[in-house]
């Protein structure tokens, strides 16, 4: 086993990404990538540091004929109950092509769910301002029906996407063993995407901040002159459209990057994080059913559709906290 292969295996068994190992070694991620692809060799001081970090001898690292170590033996014991799944280059290429074919449709479907109540808010504004002869209750019913026309095709996309990618679900659940060519290809592609990914995330964050500012401004208008309350509905509708586009950017960017993270088993897709995600998924399947029931019950009982939407962002923040708790619990369980 060569040095580059040993570094890759040791890093994976430690559950570190290339960025994390690079930080521990005080080098760039590109340096770690070159070490693992065989394009360069760590300097002597880095070899000594790597042996300490991984708990192996320097002889194990630099001697190609040395194929066993205390670390690898411990790693094998920890992985007894988790069988590695082999991934071929053909499978990897098919997975990448499939994911990229779905990026636009899936991102648009998520945005359609977010933008679905916009017509409802516009109708509320027209009704409240006396622009159209329609009661607020009727406006809510019509708006809800229109919202369903946005949500229905989005749900169809989600189901179709799930069925299309089902055969690759093992990438989210199991520890995979990929060919060296796959690792090099995924690392290079991820590196080329990083600048674009960062720009998209920054753009999306700025748009969300702008939307939040618009919503706060609508509150000021309502406080300043209650007769202009109907304008608030139009402002919120604009803010939702901005958020929907920001989410489109977030989802499309993350689908691109997470495609390669799955192949590399990095960031959210390390073996440890996969276990945490599996736990969060089981909890989430129950959690979102409860949230949906609360949303529909409150909205139909009070008919305050223009206010009940706040349940969703609050539920999203709470679920993020739950997911973080699952990750902490899984890490604690693994350590003990």
């Amino acid at each position: 086993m060569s040095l580059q292969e040993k570094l890759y295996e040791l890093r994976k068994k430690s559950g570190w990404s290339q960025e994390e190992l690079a930080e521990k070694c005080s080098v760039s991620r590109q340096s770690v990538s070159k070490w693992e692809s065989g394009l360069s060799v760590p300097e002597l001081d880095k070899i000594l540091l790597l042996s300490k970090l991984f708990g192996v001898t320097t002889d194990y690292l630099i001697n190609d004929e040395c194929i066993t170590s205390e670390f690898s033996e411990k790693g094998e014991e920890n992985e007894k109950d988790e069988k590695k799944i082999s991934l071929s280059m053909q499978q990897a290429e098919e997975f990448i092509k499939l994911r990229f074919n779905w990026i636009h449709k899936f991102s648009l479907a998520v945005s359609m769910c977010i933008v679905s109540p916009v017509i409802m808010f516009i109708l509320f504004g027209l009704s409240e301002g006396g622009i159209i002869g329609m009661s607020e209750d009727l406006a809510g019913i019509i708006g809800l029906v229109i919202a369903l026309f946005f949500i229905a095709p989005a749900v169809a996309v989600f189901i179709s996407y799930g069925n299309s990618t089902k055969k690759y679900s093992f990438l989210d659940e199991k520890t995979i063993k990929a060919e060296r060519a796959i690792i090099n290809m995924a690392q290079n592609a991820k590196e080329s995407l990083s600048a674009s990914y960062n720009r998209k995330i920054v753009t999306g964050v700025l748009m969300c901040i702008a939307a939040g500012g618009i919503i706060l401004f609508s509150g000021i208008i309502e406080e300043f002159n209650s007769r202009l309350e109907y304008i608030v509905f139009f402002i919120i509708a604009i803010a939702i459209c901005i958020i929907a586009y920001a989410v489109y950017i977030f989802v499309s960017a993350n689908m691109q990057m997470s495609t390669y993270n799955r192949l590399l088993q990095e960031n959210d897709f390390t073996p440890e994080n996969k276990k945490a995600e599996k736990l969060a998924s089981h909890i989430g399947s129950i959690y979102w059913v409860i949230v949906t029931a609360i949303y529909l019950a409150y909205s139909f009982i009070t008919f305050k559709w223009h206010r009940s939407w706040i349940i969703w962002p609050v539920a999203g923040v709470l679920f993020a906290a739950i997911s973080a708790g699952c990750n902490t619990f899984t890490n604690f369980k693994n350590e003990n």
Side-chain angles (χ1 to χ4, degrees):
M1 183 183 292
S2 65
L3 172 61
Q4 65 190 71
E5 293 172 328
K6 290 175 184 176
L7 290 177
Y8 173 75
E9 291 294 332
L10 291 169
R11 177 175 65 80
K12 286 300 182 183
K13 288 176 180 177
S14 296
W16 297 336
S17 65
Q18 287 188 339
E19 289 85 352
E20 290 171 325
L21 180 57
E23 184 178 350
K24 295 177 186 295
C25 294
S26 300
V27 297
S28 65
R29 191 200 68 79
Q30 289 79 4
S31 295
V32 174
S33 177
K34 289 179 180 179
W35 293 347
E36 294 184 355
S37 60
L39 296 177
S40 67
V41 178
E43 297 178 355
L44 180 58
D45 61 327
K46 300 303 180 186
I47 291 288
L48 294 172
L49 177 58
L50 288 166
S51 70
K52 292 180 181 179
L53 288 173
F54 293 130
V56 298
T57 63
T58 54
D59 184 57
Y60 169 73
L61 288 176
I62 61 178
N63 188 351
D64 289 352
E65 296 180 358
C66 184
I67 59 174
T68 60
S69 70
E70 292 181 3
F71 182 95
S72 61
E73 290 172 358
K74 292 177 182 178
E76 288 174 359
E77 291 177 1
N78 293 332
E79 293 180 349
K80 278 183 179 179
D81 298 328
E82 189 169 26
K83 186 178 179 181
K84 285 189 175 182
I85 305 295
S86 295
L87 182 72
S88 67
M89 175 60 80
Q90 182 180 355
Q91 286 178 306
E93 290 176 344
E94 288 177 355
F95 174 69
I96 293 171
K97 182 179 179 181
L98 180 63
R99 288 269 297 183
F100 274 67
N101 285 341
W102 276 99
I103 285 176
H104 172 70
K105 289 181 283 188
F106 190 91
S107 303
L108 183 61
V110 174
S111 297
M112 285 174 65
C113 290
I114 295 173
V115 83
S116 61
V118 164
I119 301 299
M120 185 186 300
F121 280 101
I122 293 174
L123 291 176
F124 278 138
L126 294 173
S127 174
E128 187 75 18
I131 301 174
I132 58 174
M134 181 184 297
S135 68
E136 191 171 315
D137 290 347
L138 181 59
I141 293 173
I142 295 175
L144 177 61
V145 171
I146 296 175
L148 293 176
F149 279 99
F150 281 84
I151 295 173
V155 171
V157 170
F158 297 149
I159 294 173
S160 299
Y161 170 78
N163 291 333
S164 299
T165 59
K166 188 176 181 180
K167 64 179 180 179
Y168 295 107
S169 60
F170 66 90
L171 293 174
D172 295 334
E173 301 168 357
K174 302 293 183 179
T175 300
I176 64 171
K177 184 178 181 180
E179 299 173 2
R180 172 56 53 181
I182 296 175
I183 302 301
N184 293 339
M185 177 268 293
Q187 287 174 344
N188 293 334
K190 181 179 175 181
E191 186 174 341
S192 66
L193 273 176
S194 59
S196 172
Y197 173 80
N198 291 333
R199 285 196 301 270
K200 289 179 179 179
I201 296 301
V202 170
T203 301
V205 169
L206 291 176
M207 291 179 69
C208 288
I209 293 174
I214 291 173
I215 292 174
L216 290 175
F217 177 70
S218 69
I220 295 174
I221 291 178
E222 185 176 4
E223 186 69 24
F224 179 74
N225 190 338
S226 59
R227 288 179 298 178
L228 297 177
E229 183 179 357
Y230 72 97
I231 296 179
V232 173
F233 292 109
F234 299 131
I235 294 176
I236 292 176
I238 294 172
I240 291 176
C241 290
I242 294 174
I243 292 172
Y245 186 62
V247 169
Y248 175 88
I249 294 174
F250 284 138
V251 174
S252 59
N254 277 298
M255 283 189 71
Q256 288 180 323
M257 191 61 74
S258 66
T259 298
Y260 298 112
N261 282 334
R262 280 178 167 86
L263 298 177
L264 296 169
Q265 297 186 98
E266 293 182 347
N267 297 335
D268 293 336
F269 302 98
T270 61
E272 293 76 15
N273 286 337
K274 287 178 182 179
K275 293 177 182 177
E277 183 64 24
K278 190 174 183 180
L279 176 60
S281 178
H282 290 316
I283 295 175
S285 61
I286 301 173
Y287 176 84
W288 289 112
V289 170
I290 295 173
V291 170
T292 302
I294 293 173
Y295 169 72
L296 293 175
Y298 175 81
S299 300
F300 276 113
I301 292 173
T302 64
F303 255 91
K304 293 182 179 179
W305 296 93
H306 60 293
R307 300 188 187 278
S308 60
W309 67 273
I310 197 67
I311 291 174
W312 294 109
V314 171
V317 172
L318 288 176
F319 187 70
I322 292 172
S323 297
C326 292
N327 191 34
T328 302
F329 173 76
T330 303
N331 290 336
F332 176 79
K333 188 176 179 181
N334 290 334
E335 290 173 1
N336 292 274

